Amino acid sequence: MGEGRPGVAATLRALNEALGRPAALWVKESGARNLRHRDFLAPRAALSAAFPGGQVPPEAVSAVSSLRGPAVLPLRVCRQTPAGLAVQVRRPEAFQRLLGPLPGPAPAAAGARTGCVVLHCPALRTRAALRPRHLRSVLLADHLAQLLRAQGVGVCLVPALSEEGSWDVLRQLRVYWPSGSGGSSLTDAVSALKAALGRCPCAVACEQGPGTAEGVVYKVHLKSFVEQQGLLGYDPNLDVLLVTEGMLQSLAELQEAVLQCPVSDPMALPASLPKCQSSCCSIVHVVNCEEEFQQQQLDVLWRILDPGAHTALQKHLVCGPVKVTNPSSPIGADQYFQLRKHQMYEASVIKYGELAQDEAWTEVIDTLTVAAIRFEMLSTAHRSQITLDLENNSISTKGTKSGAFVMYNCARLATLFNTFQQAVEQGTYPPLPPASELNFSCLREEGEWLLLFNYLLPFPEVLQQAAQLPSPSKGIRITANTETVCKFLVQLSMDFSSYYNRVHVLGEPFPHLFDQMFARLQLLGAVRDVFHSALATLHLPPLSQI
């Protein structure tokens, strides 16, 4: 097992290098129909652009077939087809390498990356009750924090929740956000910012008196600074900002977070984030579209008062609007949670009858509700609008696109392994042998390769891609693939459910059937691990029953 864990990116890179062309010619297949004939394809159109007449030299085809490498899938055959150059993987060996004795940590987790990202969620500064639009940016920041931590990146969450606020809905949704007051260090930081304002040529002190808004301490001309610095991507309506004590408090808290960032090596920041010359971290403001203008004002003010490398690394991740259909009155986040919980309870009673009314189901209903809301908020690209239909019961335990469906299939896996363990204890089956003793050539069912090739194989790269925060080509907005994990889990649940409904995993206790049963259990154990790891990025515990 010295060859290590194969990966999609490494295999595609090796395939492209084997053809001797700089262009990316190969694609990974994912559909069940195409996977019956091939696993990777260099399409005819791409080959025609890269080779005269689209004819790949025989020596290049031979090089593809003989590819080997520590992270390269074992290839069986490479042949010319009407669709292009097609490659099939040696599937038993691929099962062995992915399901056999565990190698070292996956590349994503192995590096000692000590970069830091400050995730700032202005929605948590609101003095009013949280609304669904606030909830969207909070849940997105919470999920992104988990994804970054999984890649070895340090995360600081700002602002700390005030002690006098009511944050019950966040606790119910399993959002783990720091709380507490800033103390004397924050007071000193605010004083330092005021002193900086006094020295700033584009700031004018405001005396308290008639016509002066309460709490305003300075007027700052943002527009002239933006123009002088040639800053791109800011709203053209940025002009004069009336600076309040609250704004300075917000900036002071951001500065504190930057100082606390555990960046021991500035070059250890994620590859997708820009580097700076000194030890600094990146700041990402996760805002809903209604807060974007106000956050741009604070962004520019911070650049004026603290022209350090970290303020130049500010980026804005903007969430689209959350539309609530036909609300009789504005709905709060807590009302939204309670409504979805009631709907989940009713849906569970319809499906499971009196069982769902048992006290033991209270935690199950709570978890299903959290899953339903998180998937409702996070399955859509963050730039797009979300529409919440609260009048009709849009929560279901059956819908294949829902968080409840994902949790249901996770529970089915738990039930399978509990049933197997009980059968082992009763002497019906022998215990599952070590992975090195399993015969993976027994895995010949179409759904088994689909689970391995589309989910187990690319999963580490899925997490990496979901955590990427690419720099914008210009301006301050960034786009993240925050919907990736939810979509991955929904698709995995659909394909697992199809396989599980079709295949009887725990067969009759005959020794000649054990090889196939054990290989399938090893495969599904790996699928279970993927479910658990992906759900952990959403702060969702796996269910043992539904």
Side-chain angles (χ1 to χ4, degrees):
M1 295 305 298
E3 293 179 279
R5 190 189 197 282
V8 175
T11 301
L12 287 171
R13 188 162 51 247
L15 285 168
N16 286 314
E17 289 172 357
L19 292 184
R21 294 293 186 274
L25 302 177
W26 292 89
V27 293
K28 173 189 172 294
E29 295 288 6
S30 58
R33 176 188 290 182
N34 287 338
L35 286 174
R36 292 170 194 152
H37 313 291
R38 59 182 184 252
D39 298 309
F40 294 94
L41 177 72
R44 176 65 57 199
L47 294 176
S48 297
F51 295 95
Q55 294 300 309
V56 182
E59 61 271 19
V61 175
S62 177
V64 168
S65 299
S66 58
L67 276 177
R68 297 288 185 276
V72 178
L73 283 164
L75 305 181
R76 183 170 69 87
V77 64
C78 175
R79 63 180 186 278
Q80 293 274 7
T81 70
L85 202 58
V87 163
Q88 277 190 311
V89 172
R90 293 203 301 273
R91 295 184 176 183
E93 188 177 335
F95 276 114
Q96 176 68 39
R97 287 179 61 185
L98 280 156
L99 301 177
L102 292 175
R113 298 164 99 185
T114 52
C116 180
V117 176
V118 173
L119 291 179
H120 174 221
C121 194
L124 294 174
R125 298 189 187 279
T126 181
R127 295 184 180 275
L130 290 177
R131 302 213 175 276
R133 71 173 186 273
H134 300 125
L135 212 52
R136 184 181 190 183
S137 55
V138 173
L139 290 175
L140 191 147
D142 179 68
H143 178 44
L144 187 54
Q146 286 294 92
L147 290 167
L148 288 166
R149 289 170 182 141
Q151 300 304 311
V153 179
V155 177
C156 290
L157 298 173
V158 179
L161 300 180
S162 60
E163 294 175 356
E164 63 270 14
S166 177
W167 307 109
D168 286 348
V169 70
L170 297 187
R171 284 188 283 271
Q172 290 168 325
L173 286 167
R174 298 184 170 91
V175 174
Y176 302 107
W177 205 275
S179 61
S181 58
S184 59
S185 62
L186 206 58
T187 304
D188 293 342
V190 170
S191 299
L193 288 170
K194 278 186 183 178
L197 271 172
R199 298 188 299 271
C200 178
C202 54
V204 178
C206 292
E207 298 294 334
Q208 290 299 318
T212 304
E214 186 178 353
V216 173
V217 291
Y218 276 88
K219 286 183 182 179
V220 178
H221 295 270
L222 304 180
K223 192 167 190 173
S224 57
F225 179 82
V226 170
E227 291 171 349
Q228 288 168 9
Q229 299 295 316
L231 301 176
L232 299 175
Y234 289 89
D235 192 301
N237 294 311
L238 285 180
D239 198 356
V240 175
L241 174 63
L242 301 178
V243 180
T244 65
E245 290 273 357
M247 292 177 184
L248 295 179
Q249 183 92 5
S250 298
L251 293 185
E253 195 167 359
L254 281 166
Q255 283 189 326
E256 288 282 294
V258 168
L259 292 173
Q260 293 169 13
C261 254
V263 182
S264 60
D265 177 8
M267 298 311 293
L269 280 166
S272 59
L273 292 171
K275 305 293 186 290
C276 59
Q277 297 303 313
S278 61
S279 182
C280 62
C281 60
S282 284
I283 299 103
V284 179
H285 305 291
V286 184
V287 297
N288 64 60
C289 54
E290 295 179 24
E291 299 165 339
E292 184 181 10
F293 183 78
Q294 288 80 6
Q295 189 52 51
Q296 286 190 18
Q297 290 177 317
L298 278 183
D299 173 316
V300 177
L301 178 62
W302 197 14
R303 290 172 188 261
I304 292 171
L305 298 180
D306 185 5
H310 52 273
T311 57
L313 292 180
Q314 294 181 83
K315 300 301 174 189
H316 297 241
L317 195 155
V318 182
C319 298
V322 177
K323 179 183 177 183
V324 179
T325 58
N326 302 318
S328 55
S329 61
I331 187 168
D334 52 347
Q335 295 169 287
Y336 167 55
F337 179 86
Q338 293 303 328
L339 177 63
R340 286 292 187 241
K341 183 176 180 179
H342 178 68
Q343 291 170 340
M344 184 59 70
Y345 171 76
E346 289 187 329
S348 298
V349 169
I350 290 171
K351 183 169 184 179
Y352 301 106
E354 293 183 3
L355 277 175
Q357 301 179 49
D358 189 272
E359 282 188 15
W361 269 70
T362 301
E363 187 176 345
V364 173
I365 298 294
D366 286 345
T367 301
L368 289 175
T369 303
V370 175
I373 290 175
R374 282 186 174 263
F375 274 73
E376 192 168 34
M377 288 287 182
L378 297 173
S379 294
T380 302
H382 68 82
R383 307 168 301 283
S384 303
Q385 175 178 291
I386 291 176
T387 300
L388 303 179
D389 185 356
L390 302 184
E391 286 197 333
N392 300 318
N393 189 352
S394 56
I395 291 292
S396 168
T397 59
K398 297 180 180 179
T400 57
K401 301 296 183 183
S402 71
F405 178 70
V406 171
M407 301 305 290
Y408 167 66
N409 281 286
C410 189
R412 293 172 86 184
L413 276 166
T415 300
L416 168 70
F417 282 94
N418 287 339
T419 303
F420 172 71
Q421 188 58 39
Q422 289 169 10
V424 170
E425 292 169 0
Q426 294 164 5
T428 306
Y429 301 129
L432 185 65
S436 58
E437 297 177 14
L438 298 179
N439 179 9
F440 292 109
S441 63
C442 296
L443 297 177
R444 292 185 290 270
E445 214 278 345
E446 180 179 278
E448 290 157 358
W449 181 245
L450 207 65
L451 289 171
L452 184 103
F453 195 61
N454 283 348
Y455 303 103
L456 301 187
L457 172 68
F459 180 60
E461 293 164 57
V462 167
L463 291 183
Q464 282 182 311
Q465 291 162 9
Q468 284 181 354
L469 296 172
S471 299
S473 54
K474 61 179 181 178
I476 55 174
R477 277 193 175 200
I478 60 172
T479 298
N481 300 314
T482 50
E483 73 280 11
T484 299
V485 171
C486 286
K487 288 186 172 180
F488 175 88
L489 279 168
V490 166
Q491 197 61 50
L492 169 58
S493 297
M494 292 172 66
D495 283 339
F496 163 72
S497 181
S498 174
Y499 170 76
Y500 196 70
N501 291 340
R502 192 172 62 250
V503 173
H504 192 54
V505 179
L506 300 180
E508 295 294 329
F510 299 136
H512 69 280
L513 299 177
F514 286 163
D515 276 1
Q516 185 177 62
M517 183 182 72
F518 289 150
R520 284 175 169 170
L521 284 170
Q522 186 75 7
L523 169 66
L524 294 181
V527 170
R528 177 191 56 188
D529 292 344
V530 165
F531 265 111
H532 291 188
S533 296
L535 289 172
T537 70
L538 296 159
H539 279 138
L540 286 169
L543 290 177
S544 59
Q545 64 168 18
I546 291 188

